[in-house]
Amino acid sequence: MSHQIAVIPGDGIGQEVTPAAVEVLETLDIDFEFVEGEAGDYVAEETGEPLPEATADLARDADATLFGAAGEHAADIILPLREIVGSYANVRPAKAYPGLNAVKPETDIVFIRENTQGVYSKIESEIADGVSTLTRVITRDASRKIAEYGFAYAEEHGYENVTIAHKANVMRETDGMFLEAAEDVAAERGADYDTALMDALAMKLVMNPEDYGVIITPNLAGDVLSDLAAGLVGGLGLLPSANIGDDNALFEPVHGSAPDIAGQGIANPSAMILSAAMLLDHLGYDEQSTRVTEAVEAVLADGPHTPDLGGDASTEAFTAAVIDQL
Amino acid sequence: MSHQIAVIPGDGIGQEVTPAAVEVLETLDIDFEFVEGEAGDYVAEETGEPLPEATADLARDADATLFGAAGEHAADIILPLREIVGSYANVRPAKAYPGLNAVKPETDIVFIRENTQGVYSKIESEIADGVSTLTRVITRDASRKIAEYGFAYAEEHGYENVTIAHKANVMRETDGMFLEAAEDVAAERGADYDTALMDALAMKLVMNPEDYGVIITPNLAGDVLSDLAAGLVGGLGLLPSANIGDDNALFEPVHGSAPDIAGQGIANPSAMILSAAMLLDHLGYDEQSTRVTEAVEAVLADGPHTPDLGGDASTEAFTAAVIDQL
Ligand SMILES: CC(C)[C@H](C(=O)O)[C@@H](O)C(=O)O
Ligand SMILES: CC(C)[C@H](C(=O)O)[C@@H](O)C(=O)O
């Protein structure tokens, strides 16, 4: 079976780390067809469109998409791309990889963030001079769907603790519906879980991240809490993520385009290669996914290291070392 | 001039720490008249109403209110009380007091949280079976008002860094208006400031809290980020807060009712006494406010300590030690 993979490097270091991930995927014995598309600030400058229709089509028609990084136009690229692949689940592992200078090295949490609703509805306007409103939307179906995904993920990946995050004491109808739907799913599956108010959870994550495994959250709560957890493990630098749809998916590092170091060939490609490992896992290549992840972890542990981790290896040298480990 | 102070101990340890704070205030040479009101789960159980009208009236008519703690009905007590005192600014210092086992001891941040808008609008309903919406409201006036308060606070309290938190890349109209209004205020005052996306800020606060001073935020962002910062300094245990209105204000510890230790006379009254110090500051008794704060800090540094800090002093003994230091 051949898989078509759309590859969108985007801005800045996206142009450097994306080819590295493709190189790693190419060494595996899998029939991938890579098709490259353009998006980013540099495209917007030329054409006025950060995400050209042709690139959107590539992502739409592919089996999965690898996305590198975006700059100023991040929201105008990544939000439409998530919609195009039908992503309902944003999967964000926050794990203290070796080499990261972690605030809390014992952190090993996967955020399962609802990826279509909440304050990302775009139903927003200035309804009168100086008065603006946004309609936050939560449906039972979407809430059930993310909860199903989250509990299944916890089972498949061996996480014992599942926490449902919410702010239903204030957002009684909307997060109330989210919470109730997620608790219904848990009951139907006979699964254990905890619930946590998102504010209290922010505090507890900082103090005792080791108490958490999988965290199922509404959209914005997941956005904020997963970045918090990135801070716990030493920053966005090494963190991969997946945006999962029914028939399509998008994989991207959590980091941005890092304009300060772009173009120098020294970007750390770990997050991007780990995102490619999530792609492998998603397409059913579990064994290869594990091999790639372990290869990255081995190089993070023993070097060579890129400058962000105190070494002087290039992106290329790091990638070659990962391929050597495979 | 005499000041009428409404005192609402509430649930659990609120019943123990609130009298401690009143005792401290009584030793100062200020003409306070304390009037006590009831609220809490225990009142709801008896009467069905967690916040009786008589208590609401007390708070409404007072110059300021001291509130202890709430349990299950927290949202039904604290949100109406904030409304009653006309609170537009929720002031939440997160400072690593001596004795706290802080994750990041260099943290010294004051959150200035907008306290009337955003997702706290209560405009919420299930508009169709399985579909619920909430209307997030942001006005230019309220945004300007919190920004004015925040910049003035930074000036008066000697904080050099002011950060405006937002998520205007997604909530373009609502947080866009918040951000623009706050930036306008900064420009009019000729004040320096930074802006930060709330998700990126969550990460940076965990990694480099020393980079931040005053953070001006929309309502829910402030709720979550201030709890995050509480985690950085070792938990809610010692943190005070103020809810500031035009002619009235409410002061409360950030911690809850702590049912596990309630009734034993061992609760740490620091957060409550520090909240009373914020009350003094607010009413213009700066010198007394500083004295009380320093007295608490001295006892936190040298003991006696309550059990939460590893000692075996009672609430009473701790309070007596604070009064000794005054
Ligand atoms: C760029 C922005 C729209 C996006 C989001 O809010 O989802 C980002 O913060 C993320 O988490 O990928
Ligand atoms: C109890 C709850 C309604 C409240 C809030 O969301 O403001 C609490 O979290 C707080 O921060 O004081």
Side-chain angles (χ1 to χ4, degrees), chain A residues 74-75 78-79 82 90 92 113 115 120 219-220 223 226-227 252, chain B residues 167 169-170 199:
Chain A
I78 197 65
L79 297 181
R82 287 177 186 160
N90 188 193
R92 302 196 159 188
R113 166 185 175 192
N115 214 4
Y120 287 71
N219 208 343
L220 185 67
D223 183 48
S226 65
D227 267 32
E252 43 161 348
Chain B
K167 183 80 188 176
N169 61 339
V170 169
D199 48 334

Side-chain angles (χ1 to χ4, degrees), chain B residues 36-55:
Chain B
E36 192 162 325
E38 299 208 292
D41 293 347
Y42 77 97
V43 187
E45 256 167 49
E46 284 167 26
T47 68
E49 280 291 335
L51 180 67
E53 201 43 53
T55 305

Side-chain angles (χ1 to χ4, degrees), chain B residues 80 178 323 326:
Chain B
F178 181 86
I323 290 171
L326 279 176

Side-chain angles (χ1 to χ4, degrees), chain B residues 1 49 63 75 83 86-87 90 107 114 126 136 143 145 167 171 190 192 216 219 226 230 252 288 301-302:
Chain B
M1 192 167 78
E49 280 291 335
D63 294 305
E83 234 179 284
S87 168
N90 187 195
T107 307
E114 203 289 324
E126 184 166 349
R136 181 175 197 265
S143 303
K145 190 158 179 171
K167 183 80 188 176
M171 301 191 272
D192 285 337
I216 300 171
N219 208 344
S226 66
E252 44 162 346
Q288 290 91 331
D302 299 328

Side-chain angles (χ1 to χ4, degrees), chain A:
Chain A
M1 193 167 79
S2 150
H3 299 284
Q4 186 155 330
I5 310 293
V7 177
I8 309 174
D11 288 309
I13 61 166
Q15 293 287 341
E16 296 156 54
V17 298
T18 313
V22 171
E23 210 183 315
V24 171
L25 289 177
E26 276 173 338
T27 63
L28 304 170
D29 202 19
I30 303 175
D31 190 3
F32 283 131
E33 187 197 339
F34 298 99
V35 285
E36 193 162 322
E38 299 208 293
D41 294 346
Y42 77 98
V43 185
E45 258 167 47
E46 285 168 25
T47 68
E49 279 290 338
L51 180 67
E53 200 43 53
T55 305
D57 287 341
L58 274 190
R60 193 175 288 114
D61 298 339
D63 294 306
T65 296
L66 273 180
F67 179 74
E72 290 301 312
H73 288 85
D76 295 316
I77 297 171
I78 197 65
L79 297 181
L81 278 178
R82 287 177 186 160
E83 234 178 285
I84 285 165
V85 304
S87 169
Y88 59 88
N90 188 193
V91 181
R92 302 196 159 188
K95 196 175 140 184
Y97 293 100
L100 270 180
N101 193 356
V103 177
K104 290 278 184 179
E106 62 279 27
T107 307
D108 180 2
I109 299 172
V110 181
F111 290 90
I112 306 291
R113 166 185 175 192
E114 202 290 322
N115 214 4
T116 67
Q117 305 202 317
V119 295
Y120 287 71
S121 68
K122 291 177 286 185
I123 312 173
E124 223 189 348
S125 64
E126 183 164 349
I127 60 170
D129 181 42
V131 182
S132 57
T133 64
L134 178 155
T135 303
R136 181 176 197 264
V137 179
I138 298 281
T139 66
R140 188 179 298 135
D141 286 350
S143 303
R144 285 187 58 92
K145 190 160 177 169
I146 193 69
E148 287 283 5
Y149 188 90
F151 281 105
Y153 187 98
E155 247 177 64
E156 281 158 30
H157 293 79
Y159 285 93
E160 285 187 2
N161 296 326
V162 178
T163 305
I164 304 165
H166 67 94
K167 184 79 187 176
N169 60 338
V170 170
M171 301 190 273
R172 296 182 180 192
E173 296 291 336
T174 52
D175 268 18
M177 184 175 281
F178 180 87
L179 177 60
E180 190 182 271
E183 293 196 281
D184 283 350
V185 167
E188 288 158 23
R189 301 178 66 99
D192 285 338
Y193 68 97
D194 279 314
T195 67
L197 287 166
M198 68 184 285
D199 48 333
L201 185 55
M203 183 186 72
K204 289 183 194 155
L205 282 172
V206 171
M207 299 183 71
N208 300 108
E210 67 281 5
D211 291 349
Y212 297 91
V214 163
I215 301 182
I216 299 171
T217 81
N219 208 343
L220 185 67
D223 183 48
V224 176
L225 296 175
S226 65
D227 267 32
L228 179 168
L232 293 175
V233 301
L236 304 174
L238 303 193
L239 301 186
S241 78
N243 298 276
I244 306 293
D246 283 321
D247 321 301
N248 202 334
L250 169 77
F251 301 84
E252 43 161 348
V254 179
H255 64 65
S257 59
D260 48 323
I261 60 156
Q264 301 177 34
I266 55 165
N268 185 336
S270 298
M272 189 76 219
I273 301 176
L274 292 168
S275 299
M278 292 183 86
L279 177 150
L280 289 166
D281 182 48
H282 179 67
L283 293 179
Y285 301 101
D286 309 21
E287 184 263 327
Q288 290 91 333
S289 172
T290 306
R291 260 168 66 208
V292 170
T293 302
E294 286 175 358
V296 171
E297 291 185 357
V299 179
L300 287 174
D302 298 328
H305 286 165
T306 42
D308 57 309
L309 300 182
D312 59 7
S314 64
T315 307
E316 229 167 280
F318 185 98
T319 308
V322 170
I323 291 172
D324 264 359
Q325 291 281 345
L326 278 176

